[in-house]
Amino acid sequence: MGVGGCLVVPWRCLVVLCLRLVFLVPAGVPVRSGDATFPKAMDNVTVRQGESATLRCSVDNRVTRVAWLNRSSILYAGNDKWCLDPRVVLLTNTKTEYSIQIQDVDVYDEGPYTCSVQTDNHPKTSRVHLIVQVSPKIVEISSDISINEGGNISLTCVATGRPDPTITWRHISPKAVGFVSEDEYLEITGITREQSGEYECSASNDVAAPIIRRVKVTVNYPPYISDAKSTGVPVGQKGILQCEASAVPAAEFQWYKEDKRLVEGQKGVKVESKAFFSRLTFFNVSEQDYGNYTCMASNKLGNTNVSIILYVNHESGCADMNSGVVVRLDLLVWEIMG
């Protein structure tokens, strides 16, 4: 559209306008454009949205009338303003330069502007093109997503700007290397748990700093037990069995001895479970506590379990780990002597 707000005047003013234009561009005289030496407007002017654009036209003492036009609308004729737009102001009107300024430039100001001069009844023009650059802006991006391992996802990031911004996707992960996509769309098929985390969309066009937004991708998978060790503890001492499991959503833990489930509050035993591990604590280990325990981890996608043995461990005893039978060395000695 260009600079708007040109005067809408009654018919009497139109008569005056026509007379002035006759002086500026006499009938029957062709308008010359692109004169090699005079008048000389600037080359293309490039500004960022919101900045001010200055349009300069070099003239000399042969000039009798001057004007700046935007397409077919007169902005200024000499010192007289013909446009209502308050952003357009006259900067310079001398024997060597005729300049105007457009403040707070917007995209609709982009386009051709013409400096027209009158010399010895011969009109001449010179044209300059105003280019408006716009910082990138992300106008649409996918929401955070949760998906089961093995599924497919498609992330979208749409941005605007002048010139058109370049869009890149990057996985924010210590193991990720470089960009995973240089397009508005990022598609992942057969996603794995290692591909979970945040994905960063960056929109850049060198007009301003890149605009960055992030999408969180959660990959759900069933539990797997990563660490569990049997433990040897002397009678009367404190004993701890622990198993660790990785899962999304976080696993729920259960402890069993044979077919009996152990619960919190049971005498002499404490069950403590966190997001990624569970601990079974015996405050005063007795002979009845020794044996095989099962740690089970489960979530909505599945479950897994592991067996852990609590066995006796002191200077005068050892454990037969194959049979699970505790052998007291002192009793064995008496049997041999007897």
Side-chain angles (χ1 to χ4, degrees):
M1 293 178 60
V3 174
C6 291
L7 288 171
V8 179
V9 294
W11 67 272
R12 291 182 180 178
C13 293
L14 288 175
V15 172
V16 176
L17 172 59
C18 291
L19 289 174
R20 299 192 64 164
L21 290 179
V22 167
F23 282 108
L24 185 61
V25 184
V29 178
V31 175
R32 303 174 186 175
S33 178
D35 189 297
T37 59
F38 175 81
K40 178 61 177 176
M42 306 169 62
D43 294 329
N44 291 348
V45 176
T46 301
V47 295
R48 297 178 182 179
Q49 185 182 39
E51 295 181 344
S52 295
T54 299
L55 308 181
R56 294 185 175 90
C57 183
S58 299
V59 297
D60 62 20
N61 55 12
R62 293 176 292 170
V63 173
T64 57
R65 289 182 178 85
V66 289
W68 269 106
L69 299 88
N70 174 222
R71 298 179 176 88
S72 59
S73 302
I74 300 177
L75 304 178
Y76 264 92
N79 292 321
D80 297 331
K81 186 173 183 178
W82 289 77
C83 182
L84 289 176
D85 194 331
R87 300 176 304 129
V88 181
V89 296
L90 180 65
L91 285 185
T92 307
N93 184 8
T94 67
K95 293 181 179 182
T96 58
E97 182 178 318
Y98 185 56
S99 304
I100 62 171
Q101 185 180 75
I102 305 172
Q103 301 169 345
D104 192 20
V105 169
D106 211 334
V107 291
Y108 55 76
D109 296 319
E110 185 170 283
Y113 290 79
T114 302
C115 174
S116 180
V117 303
Q118 179 75 26
T119 62
D120 301 329
N121 294 324
H122 294 291
K124 298 180 181 180
T125 64
S126 183
R127 179 173 292 189
V128 60
H129 197 90
L130 177 62
I131 300 172
V132 180
Q133 295 183 329
V134 181
S135 302
K137 179 181 181 181
I138 295 177
V139 295
E140 180 184 346
I141 191 168
S142 298
S143 301
D144 293 345
I145 186 172
S146 177
I147 187 170
N148 293 344
E149 190 171 36
N152 304 327
I153 65 170
S154 179
L155 304 181
T156 302
C157 182
V158 180
T160 59
R162 287 180 171 221
D164 291 336
T166 298
I167 296 177
T168 55
W169 281 99
R170 187 167 65 96
H171 186 198
I172 308 300
S173 168
K175 297 181 180 180
V177 179
F179 296 107
V180 293
S181 175
E182 295 186 1
D183 190 74
E184 292 181 351
Y185 305 100
L186 171 62
E187 296 185 356
I188 302 176
T189 57
I191 194 168
T192 65
R193 63 193 69 179
E194 290 78 14
Q195 292 173 303
S196 65
E198 289 191 323
Y199 286 79
E200 178 183 274
C201 171
S202 174
S204 61
N205 63 359
D206 296 328
V207 176
I211 300 299
I212 294 174
R213 297 274 298 277
R214 291 184 176 182
V215 177
K216 183 178 181 181
V217 175
T218 301
V219 179
N220 304 311
Y221 57 92
Y224 76 94
I225 294 177
S226 56
D227 187 39
K229 294 180 180 179
S230 298
T231 303
V233 181
V235 173
Q237 299 297 312
K238 181 179 180 180
I240 296 177
L241 297 179
Q242 181 171 307
C243 73
E244 299 177 5
S246 176
V248 177
E252 294 183 358
F253 293 90
Q254 295 177 355
W255 286 91
Y256 293 87
K257 184 178 183 183
E258 297 177 352
D259 295 331
K260 183 180 179 181
R261 182 181 175 184
L262 305 178
V263 296
E264 178 66 28
Q266 190 169 333
K267 184 178 180 181
V269 178
K270 180 180 180 181
V271 179
E272 181 184 11
S273 296
K274 301 295 182 180
F276 299 106
F277 76 90
S278 184
R279 182 181 296 135
L280 184 62
T281 302
F282 303 86
F283 295 101
N284 186 5
V285 174
S286 65
E287 293 282 355
Q288 290 75 25
D289 293 327
Y290 294 120
N292 187 38
Y293 291 81
T294 300
C295 172
M296 176 178 288
S298 62
N299 68 6
K300 64 181 183 180
L301 298 179
N303 64 77
T304 186
N305 64 79
V306 64
S307 293
I308 309 175
I309 298 175
L310 179 69
Y311 59 91
V312 66
N313 183 19
H314 53 65
E315 294 180 355
S316 60
C318 63
D320 183 352
M321 300 303 298
N322 293 323
S323 63
V325 177
V326 179
V327 181
R328 295 292 301 272
L329 293 179
D330 52 349
L331 295 179
L332 183 60
V333 171
W334 282 109
E335 290 180 1
I336 293 175
M337 292 179 66

